[in-house]
Amino acid sequence: MKKNRSAFFQTPAIAFEGPKSTNALAFRHYNPDEVIDGQTMADHMRFSIAYWHSFRGVGSDPFGPGTIARPWEVGKDPVTVALKRMDAAFEFFTKIRAPFWCWHDRDIAPEGKTLAESNKNLDVLVAHAKELQKATGVKLLWGTANLFSNPRFMCGASTNPDAHVFAYAAAQVKKALEATLELGGENYVFWGGREGYETLLNTDLKREQAHMAAFMRMAADYAKEIGFKGQFLIEPKPKEPTKHQYDFDCATCIAFLKTHGLDKLFKLNIETNHATLAGHTFQHEIEVAGAAGMLGSIDANSGDPLLGWDTDQFNTDVKELTLAMVSILKAGGLGTGGFNFDAKLRRPSVDMEDLFHAHIGGMDAYALAFKTARKIIADGRMAGFVKDRYASYDTGFGKAIETKKTSFKELEKIALSLGEPTLKSGKQEYLENLLNTYLHG
Ligand code: XUL
Ligand code: CO
C-alpha cells in the first residue's frame, strides 16, 4: 500500500477479509459495503467515533496521570494543536471506515479565558471540521455541550442553584446547537453530567427539575428558530459524577419528559454501561425506550461486571449485543441515531494501533450481533414462543381486558367458574439453549 506522507497513523485503512481471516487488523464480520435488504451495512450500523475518548482521552485515572501520548499533541498554541488533532481524527475515521463522529464542544475546541473567546475557538474548529467532513464524507451523528468539566458547573448546569450558571450553560448550548447545525448533525444530545445532587440538605429537588425542563424547552425553541431539524436525545445515567442523577434510567427520563410536556421533542440515547450501572440490562433499557416509541440512539460500550463505575470499555460480548439488536430491530431501528463508540482504551493500551483493535472489535461484534438478530427474527421461534405465551389475551375475556371491555365484577364471575389456573412453564432453559444454537450452532 502506498504510504501517505502526511499520515499520523502507520496502520493502513481497515479492510473486510471475512470470518476466516487471521489478520488482526481486518474486519471479519463488518463489511461496510455488503448490501442487506437494499441497504449497505454501513447504513444499517451507522457507526460513530466518540471524539472525547479516542482523541482527548489520555488514560488518566484518579490514581495517576495519562499514559497515552499522541504525536499530534505538540505545540504551544492550543488552537493550532486542536486543528492538527482534528486532522488526525479524520484520518482515523476514514481508515476505520466509520461514517460518523460525535463531539462535545470543548473536545474539539479549547475553552478560552472568556465565553466569547471559547466561542471564537469553536468557530475556527467548526470551520475546519466542515472542510474535513466535505473532504472525507464523514458526517456528524451528534453534537453536545460539555456542561460538567469546568468548575463553574460543580453543582450542575441547568440545575445549578445559581441562575448565573444556568445562563452560562444556556449560552453554551445555544452555541453548540449552532455548531451542530453548521456541521449537519443528525441529532443533539443532552447528558446531564452534574444534573443531580449529593445531599438534600442543600437541594430543592422539585425546583431543580423544573429548571432542567425549562432549559430543555428553551433549547428546543432555539433549535426551531435556527432551523435545526435533528433529533433531540437524552442520555440516561443513574450515578457518577453525582450520587443521584435526575436522568437515572430510561423510565425516569420518560416520566420526566412526560411530566414536563417534552416527550414529543425527545428520544433516548442509551448507553450500555449506564444501563448496567442502573441495575438493568442493556436490552431492558432498549425495550423500555422502544415501548414508549422513544428509542433514539446508542452509546456503544460496556461496563465491567465486577466494578461499580463507568469503565466505558469496547463491547465484544456478542451474546449481549445480539439480544440488544433483537430489541432494536423489533422497535423499528434507530432512525437518525447510530452506534457511537463511547468507549475508551484501557490505561496500558498505549499504542496507536490499539485504537484500531478496539474499534474493529466493537464493529465486528455489533455486525455479527446484527446478522444473528436478523436470523433469530426470521426464524421466528423466539418471538413465536412469546406470542403463544400471551395467547389467552387474543380472544374471550383476555381480549376484553386488553380492549378495556370488562370489569372486576365480570372477572370475578369468570374466576369463580373457571377455578384454579393451570401452571404453564416459562421455558427459560429451553429458550437459553435455543439462543445458543443461533450464536454457536
Ligand atoms: C458520560 C457520557 C457522556 C455522554 C455525552 O458518562 O456517556 O460522554 O455520552 O455527554
Ligand atoms: Co455516553
Side-chain angles (χ1 to χ4, degrees), residues 90 270 307 387 401:
F90 274 79
I270 300 174
L307 301 175
K387 192 171 183 301
I401 293 170

Side-chain angles (χ1 to χ4, degrees), residues 127-191:
H128 193 51
K130 199 169 178 178
E131 277 174 26
L132 289 167
Q133 286 191 171
K134 203 168 155 213
T136 59
V138 174
K139 294 182 284 182
L140 180 62
L141 187 66
W142 49 261
T144 189
N146 179 331
L147 304 177
F148 43 88
S149 296
N150 190 290
R152 81 177 70 85
F153 299 122
M154 67 181 183
C155 298
S158 68
T159 65
N160 198 292
D162 182 355
H164 185 171
V165 180
F166 184 110
Y168 198 105
Q172 209 178 309
V173 169
K174 175 179 175 288
K175 185 73 184 171
L177 277 167
E178 291 162 8
T180 304
L181 174 68
E182 176 71 8
L183 294 177
E186 300 195 16
N187 307 270
Y188 185 88
V189 163
F190 289 83
W191 168 58

Side-chain angles (χ1 to χ4, degrees), residues 50 52-53 104 142 189 191 235-237 269-272 274 298-301 310 312 340-343:
W52 51 102
H53 283 314
H104 298 86
W142 49 261
V189 163
W191 168 58
E235 182 175 326
K237 185 174 184 180
N269 182 37
I270 300 174
E271 178 163 325
T272 322
H274 297 178
I298 300 292
D299 263 9
N301 66 11
D310 204 6
D312 284 343
N340 171 49
F341 289 106
D342 191 355

